[in-house]
Amino acid sequence: MTRFGIIGAGHIGSTLARGLVDRGHDVVISNSRGPASLQELVAELGEHAQAGTVTDAATRGEVVIVTVPLKAYQEVPVAPLVGKIVLDTNNYYWERDGRIAALEEKTTTTSGMLQEHLPESKVVKAFNHIMSGQILTDGSPAGTPGRRALATSSDHADAVAFVTALYDEFGFDTVNAGPLSESWRVERDQPAYVVRQDRDELEANLARATR
């Protein structure tokens, strides 16, 4: 079992926390408002969950999930995440995040920005193109016909392998979209974004993506 740090306790963060503790993992969950604001959530999640500061989650997590608004990605602590696999669920919503020139000009990706901020971490895209309400409901056993697939992307093979195993725990097949430079293929407004698709359909949607 893995101890996960979760930075961000919104819809995705709290849903993943619930799914992780249900699978026997430990979580340290945090948000920008502090541990006191998360006491009701961790009480509901049970003994495998603890609330902490953002630094606590980053430090104590063996693997860390970053699920904050993209505009706040530079507030993620760097030093505690050195050498760790960091799952990035972030998406760019200019209406919320403001216009980000490098993304508007398509010279980087959302996960590429986080990797640049965390140069000694192993950033991997995960759970960014599924609605939070479907994370715990759409999974099915391996081998199920039409099993839903999710994409991942990283410059680190061990991070891809970790997410592949984690997706399977949650009941999803995996398609590797390649390095972070290709992770735009599963970002907002692309064919693979927040639609239900099996492995073959996801591979086709990734191939159809255009910038």
Side-chain angles (χ1 to χ4, degrees):
M1 296 295 104
T2 302
R3 183 171 62 252
F4 286 82
I6 304 178
I7 299 175
H11 294 304
I12 296 288
S14 58
T15 299
L16 287 175
R18 184 168 289 106
L20 289 166
V21 300
D22 285 349
R23 288 158 179 79
H25 299 288
D26 293 325
V27 301
V28 180
I29 190 166
S30 65
N31 64 11
S32 61
R33 292 174 292 165
S37 67
L38 298 169
Q39 291 308 310
E40 184 176 342
L41 174 62
V42 297
E44 176 189 341
L45 293 176
E47 63 181 359
H48 287 287
Q50 293 181 319
T53 65
V54 169
T55 299
D56 290 335
T59 301
R60 294 165 58 192
E62 298 168 297
V63 172
V64 175
I65 299 169
V66 172
T67 180
V68 299
L70 184 64
K71 63 183 178 181
Y73 82 95
Q74 290 179 312
E75 298 172 18
V76 173
V78 176
L81 297 177
V82 169
K84 294 182 181 180
I85 293 173
V86 176
L87 277 61
D88 172 37
T89 78
N90 294 340
N91 290 298
Y92 174 43
Y93 294 99
W94 60 264
E95 304 92 334
R96 174 197 65 192
D97 301 316
R99 297 286 186 178
I100 298 174
L103 294 174
E104 296 286 322
E105 296 163 5
K106 305 185 188 305
T107 59
T108 189
T109 65
T110 56
S111 294
M113 291 170 60
L114 185 62
Q115 181 68 83
E116 184 176 1
H117 176 64
L118 303 172
E120 297 183 66
S121 303
K122 300 175 181 180
V123 173
V124 57
K125 199 74 174 173
F127 292 107
N128 79 298
H129 65 115
I130 180 172
M131 301 294 290
S132 61
Q134 297 170 346
I135 291 174
L136 303 183
T137 61
D138 273 21
S140 57
T144 301
R147 190 189 201 204
R148 186 167 181 172
L150 297 176
T152 189
S153 177
S154 181
D155 298 337
H156 302 276
D158 56 339
V160 169
F162 183 89
V163 168
T164 299
L166 185 63
Y167 277 170
D168 188 56
E169 279 193 63
F170 276 77
F172 302 104
D173 284 340
T174 303
V175 174
N176 182 0
L180 291 181
S181 60
E182 293 295 310
S183 62
W184 61 269
R185 294 180 180 276
V186 74
E187 291 179 348
R188 178 187 178 185
D189 298 328
Q190 296 296 345
Y193 190 66
V194 294
V195 296
R196 196 190 194 289
Q197 56 212 312
D198 64 19
R199 180 185 281 119
D200 290 342
E201 292 166 335
L202 178 51
E203 288 176 349
N205 281 334
L206 291 173
R208 290 197 302 118
T210 57
R211 293 184 95 172

